[in-house]
Amino acid sequence: MPHVLASLPYFVAGWLFFCGLYGLTTSRHLVHAVISLAVLQSSTYMLLLGIGYRTGGTAPVFVDISPGRLTVDPVVQALMLTDIVVEAVVVALLLAMVVKAYEKSGSVSPSDLRTLRG
Amino acid sequence: MIPASGFSPLPVAVPLLGAGALAAIRRWASRAIADSIGIAFASVTLIFATLLLLHSLQGTSVYWFGNWHPRGAMVIGIGFVVGPIGAGLATLTALITLLSLIFSWRFIDSGGNHFQPLVLVFLGAMCGFVLTGDIFNLFVFFELMSTAAFALCGLKTEEPAPLQGSFNFAVTNTVAAFLVLTGIAFLYAATGALNMAQIGAAIGARHDSLVVFAFTLLTCGFFIKAAIVPFHLWLPDAHAVAPTPVCVLFSALMVELGLYAVVRIYFSIFEQALSPHASTLRFLLMSFGAITVVLGGTMCYAEHHLKRLLAFSTVCHVGLMLVIFSLQNSLAIAAMLAYLLAHALIKSELFFTSGIILHRLRSISERVLFRRGTGLRGTACLWFIGAAGLAGLPPFVSMIGEAGTSQAAKIAGVDGISWLFFFAGSITSAAVLRAGMHIFLGAGENPLTDRAAEVGEMPETTPENKKIFWYHFAPPLFCICGAIALTFLPGWQNVLRDSSSNFANQQAYIHTVYSTGSAASAQPEWNEEIPSAAMHGFFAFIFAIALAVTSVFRAKLPHYLRIGSFLERGFRPLRLMQSGHPGDYVLWLTIGLVVFGSVAALALVH
């Protein structure tokens, strides 16, 4: 059943997306929240790779293959790499904030971080 | 078709180079040197952006990086589409950033000279964001802008509150980035293109579930940046903790650019596809906008932390801009941009003034500041003039935006928008007036307060030097003069109107990118509505004064006249919504996404 397998990456992407959102919403630990964000992000990798996949396609390195050969889409892979770079920065920044928060308040719970509300 | 100007990428390249240079010498440079370099690079950016604007007035040009021109219908390179609106926004961005850097000259704590390079990165990202014609490039600049913003917001890491504010800001806006990226992935899957004009041409009139899903994700993603209710919860927390010049950049530029991206994407990609359902879409966008106006205005009046008060006023005014956009004709876009310009100038002025208050009086809470500002005449003048500007009192340029909106609403056949203007103008202005009366006039007694205001904010400047210099007053004064001078400056309205008619026209945009030439259509006049808009602004200001008086002198009034103090206590559910917990914010964001998505799915697909 190739058509079921073909849509599997999209199901996985959707599943990861909701896992990430659920994790963020219910998180009681700042590191857990950051990791949930990373899980949410992996759904975009899955989606991009799923979109670019061609059945029977080879890797898009054109050094040793004939020009007419079917390859997977290199554009989405470039997008995904950019995405990884950008998001690594965000995760690093967030984790640095968590460290700072722990130093200042001795807690890693989002509820204890709340000084401003209303 | 005019040839592309060779300096199109410079408003992005110059600040990024400056940021790199500054970051390299940060450890050894003294504060004065780092500030000078920052200001120099921002000034050069401003010059290039202005030259670009002047060049683009002769016609929109497209700059293809590395001369990768399109082959037929296939775009193979990345292009900057330099139109008057994009270049104009880049100029405004560079100008406000320059003013912020001048304001912070050896004054705002720069976190070991981290501040100046981050501001330059932020500037470069915003310029790229408004100029690019490639949707993935838009995402990259969006993320660059966000990351610089997270770091700028959490610059004062000595206290827990900035960490909370910037953590919530970072989490919600990163989710926004993923929504945008997912939307882009779906568009790429549907069309195989990343250039907005090519995507728009490939989608054409197709409005199946995939297109509507991509539209929902992109719109909601940028709504998070634009702080549309219920995606707005990060904004007051971030504004309350960021240093003043950063608040100026957030409120006057970044939030509006979120809305600009929605408009840009709608008119370059989805206009033709969604045009059969234009009235449904208008209803959807207008509902979100109107709710944002009402909630933002109500919360603005209920805040006693000056920066949070101004932050909610930004929420309110951005909602108003969304309502203007929802009219979806080219005049509405011109009116929205005129209003955006007015708002940027006036809100910058108010934030600069709040920074002066925080510096001089070492607090930001209305109750703590009560009667302590009676000697600060200059600051008081700036504060009250800003309040008048928020109400749209003539001769502030906001009334031109309102006049254009009335005309656009007439064309679209929509009534009642002037009431929203009246509400937004009067309630935000009343909140600012109330704070001003308490702080500078010492009127009334025993001001109310709220929880966030009691937490307050640590001063962001060094205490040994309480003196204030001319260059702290220059940026707010410049903003006021600009906001008034633009009203009397002839000609720019017509330029804005004509360029908006090209901007808000998908076919014209596609023709521009593919260099096939396009014809501008004749535009309706908008000047005839100016007298009535001026009247509205005047009445809104009078009403604002009345409302502020019922709040300040509540003890002397009978119970049924204490409208102001009733509003000032705020509404408990709205305050609970602003819980400060990142999980709650993500939940609200998901609810907003689901509501928007289900209405869009039910109404827009076939």
Side-chain angles (χ1 to χ4, degrees):
Chain A
M1 292 193 294
H3 57 284
V4 173
L5 279 183
S7 49
L8 191 61
Y10 303 103
F11 287 118
V12 175
W15 174 247
L16 285 175
F17 191 87
F18 285 106
C19 283
L21 268 188
Y22 178 80
L24 270 177
T25 312
T26 55
S27 178
R28 280 187 258 158
H29 194 293
L30 288 173
V31 176
H32 175 264
V34 177
I35 300 301
S36 302
L37 205 61
V39 171
L40 185 59
Q41 177 201 5
S42 10
S43 80
T44 58
Y45 303 156
M46 208 61 209
L47 181 68
L48 283 170
L49 290 183
I51 286 168
Y53 185 73
R54 300 284 175 275
T55 313
T58 169
V61 183
F62 294 95
V63 185
D64 53 355
I65 56 174
S66 60
R69 182 85 182 274
L70 183 70
T71 65
V72 296
D73 191 344
V75 174
V76 287
Q77 302 192 349
L79 301 192
M80 203 196 84
L81 273 177
T82 317
D83 184 25
I84 290 175
V85 172
V86 165
E87 300 311 325
V89 175
V90 174
V91 168
L93 189 67
L94 279 170
L95 287 176
M97 281 183 205
V98 175
V99 172
K100 274 280 177 190
Y102 183 68
E103 279 175 9
K104 296 296 157 198
S105 60
S107 164
V108 280
S109 163
S111 310
D112 294 341
L113 203 60
R114 296 188 290 173
T115 45
L116 285 173
R117 37 181 148 166
Chain B
M1 184 48 55
I2 56 163
S5 152
F7 48 80
S8 302
L10 288 185
V12 185
V14 168
L16 290 182
L17 281 176
L22 260 175
I25 61 163
R26 180 183 69 79
R27 280 172 197 280
W28 304 286
S30 71
R31 179 71 202 265
I33 292 177
D35 277 350
S36 317
I37 296 176
I39 289 175
F41 274 98
S43 315
V44 174
T45 312
L46 177 60
I47 292 169
F48 282 127
T50 315
L51 287 174
L52 212 55
L53 175 62
L54 293 176
H55 184 262
S56 71
L57 288 180
Q58 297 151 21
T60 304
S61 62
V62 186
Y63 178 88
W64 295 105
F65 282 88
N67 273 332
W68 288 100
H69 289 275
R71 307 279 193 275
M74 177 89 160
V75 176
I76 48 177
I78 292 175
F80 270 9
V81 181
V82 187
I85 290 174
L89 281 171
T91 311
L92 179 71
T93 306
L95 176 70
I96 303 275
T97 310
L98 179 61
L99 291 180
S100 305
L101 282 170
I102 292 175
F103 183 80
S104 61
W105 171 262
R106 303 176 66 184
F107 167 64
I108 301 289
D109 177 21
S110 71
N113 287 343
H114 276 112
F115 172 75
Q116 302 90 337
L118 282 171
V119 167
L120 287 180
V121 172
F122 195 46
L123 169 62
M126 286 195 287
C127 287
F129 190 74
V130 294
L131 291 177
T132 187
D134 182 279
I135 199 165
F136 189 71
N137 216 217
L138 192 78
F139 164 78
V140 172
F141 282 124
F142 180 79
E143 268 300 279
L144 186 59
M145 176 164 98
S146 301
T147 316
F150 306 153
L152 279 171
C153 180
L155 209 57
K156 293 185 287 179
T157 48
E158 304 315 309
E159 311 150 61
L163 287 171
Q164 174 212 350
S166 88
F167 191 85
N168 292 351
F169 175 32
V171 167
T172 45
N173 280 262
T174 309
V175 174
F178 296 148
L179 294 182
V180 169
L181 183 62
T182 312
I184 293 172
F186 281 122
L187 281 182
Y188 183 77
T191 62
L194 288 171
N195 185 285
M196 290 196 256
Q198 195 189 344
I199 297 175
I203 284 185
R206 174 181 165 189
H207 54 279
D208 51 16
S209 48
L210 188 62
V211 172
V212 171
F213 193 47
F215 171 73
T216 303
L217 289 171
L218 285 167
T219 307
C220 288
F222 287 122
F223 271 179
I224 295 174
K225 195 52 125 188
I228 300 299
V229 173
F231 306 109
H232 71 291
L233 294 156
W234 62 270
L235 182 131
D237 290 5
H239 277 67
V241 299
T244 306
V246 178
C247 289
V248 170
L249 298 178
F250 285 4
S251 239
L253 303 168
M254 185 182 73
V255 171
E256 281 78 358
L257 290 191
L259 196 57
Y260 165 82
V262 173
V263 178
R264 160 56 99 206
I265 283 177
Y266 175 74
F267 280 116
S268 54
I269 298 177
F270 297 106
E271 191 201 8
Q272 204 195 342
L274 299 180
S275 59
H277 302 289
S279 57
T280 322
L281 187 63
R282 172 179 302 157
F283 172 76
L284 180 61
L285 294 175
M286 202 176 269
S287 316
F288 271 79
I291 292 170
T292 306
V293 171
V294 173
L295 197 143
T298 319
M299 278 304 282
C300 171
Y301 201 77
E303 284 292 339
H304 300 84
H305 181 296
L306 295 186
K307 282 185 182 172
R308 280 172 79 89
L309 185 153
L310 294 175
F312 274 112
S313 121
T314 301
V315 174
C316 181
H317 287 278
V318 168
L320 205 52
M321 289 177 216
L322 177 61
V323 170
I324 307 176
F325 161 58
S326 70
L327 296 170
Q328 287 165 348
N329 54 44
S330 62
L331 192 58
I333 301 309
M336 189 192 98
L337 290 165
Y339 199 78
L340 188 154
L341 180 63
H343 176 261
L345 290 171
I346 291 162
K347 195 50 65 65
S348 310
E349 190 266 336
L350 280 167
F351 267 116
F352 283 135
T353 314
S354 79
I356 296 175
I357 296 173
L358 180 60
H359 174 60
R360 293 292 292 273
L361 305 174
R362 323 300 295 171
S363 174
I364 198 83
S365 155
E366 192 177 330
R367 190 182 170 106
V368 177
L369 290 169
F370 181 49
R371 288 193 177 146
R372 282 178 52 196
T374 40
L376 308 177
R377 290 203 187 80
T379 318
C381 283
L382 287 175
W383 188 257
F384 286 118
I385 292 174
L390 278 185
L393 184 78
F396 282 100
V397 67
S398 2
M399 68 175 191
I400 295 196
E402 189 184 342
T405 311
S406 316
Q407 193 73 36
K410 235 181 231 174
I411 297 170
V414 177
D415 291 328
I417 288 193
S418 40
W419 285 107
L420 277 179
F421 267 94
F422 184 83
F423 175 82
S426 57
I427 201 160
T428 52
S429 170
V432 174
L433 281 173
R434 184 200 71 210
M437 284 178 184
H438 278 143
I439 297 167
F440 300 114
L441 306 181
E445 51 199 88
N446 192 20
L448 296 171
T449 189
D450 61 76
R451 209 152 144 186
E454 289 303 300
V455 174
E457 184 179 8
M458 301 273 285
E460 56 202 8
T461 51
T462 41
E464 61 262 25
N465 190 3
K466 273 201 185 182
K467 210 168 149 22
I468 205 106
F469 294 97
W470 64 269
Y471 50 81
H472 300 133
F473 283 107
L477 266 177
F478 182 88
C479 291
I480 291 183
C481 297
I484 293 176
L486 279 174
T487 314
F488 299 105
L489 195 71
W492 66 273
Q493 292 103 324
N494 290 341
V495 173
L496 182 60
R497 199 189 58 198
D498 295 340
S499 36
S500 299
S501 79
N502 272 326
F503 183 82
N505 180 335
Q506 191 174 5
Q507 292 312 317
Y509 180 75
I510 292 171
H511 284 305
T512 308
V513 172
Y514 287 117
S515 308
T516 44
S518 64
S521 50
Q523 286 301 306
E525 280 298 320
W526 66 357
N527 289 335
E528 58 193 61
E529 292 287 339
I530 286 181
S532 68
M535 284 295 283
H536 286 163
F538 182 71
F539 282 119
F541 190 56
I542 299 290
F543 185 76
I545 295 176
L547 188 61
V549 164
T550 63
S551 211
V552 172
F553 298 104
R554 68 180 192 284
K556 295 195 177 110
L557 289 172
H559 275 285
Y560 56 88
L561 273 181
R562 296 181 186 174
I563 312 163
S565 62
F566 169 70
L567 281 174
E568 204 180 335
R569 288 202 170 81
F571 300 99
R572 205 174 142 68
L574 295 189
R575 283 206 197 276
L576 285 179
M577 192 175 170
Q578 202 71 43
S579 67
H581 195 295
D584 295 352
Y585 292 5
V586 174
L587 184 63
W588 277 109
L589 182 160
T590 317
I591 293 172
L593 180 66
V594 169
V595 170
F596 191 99
S598 25
V599 176
L602 288 175
L604 302 181
V605 182
H606 298 292

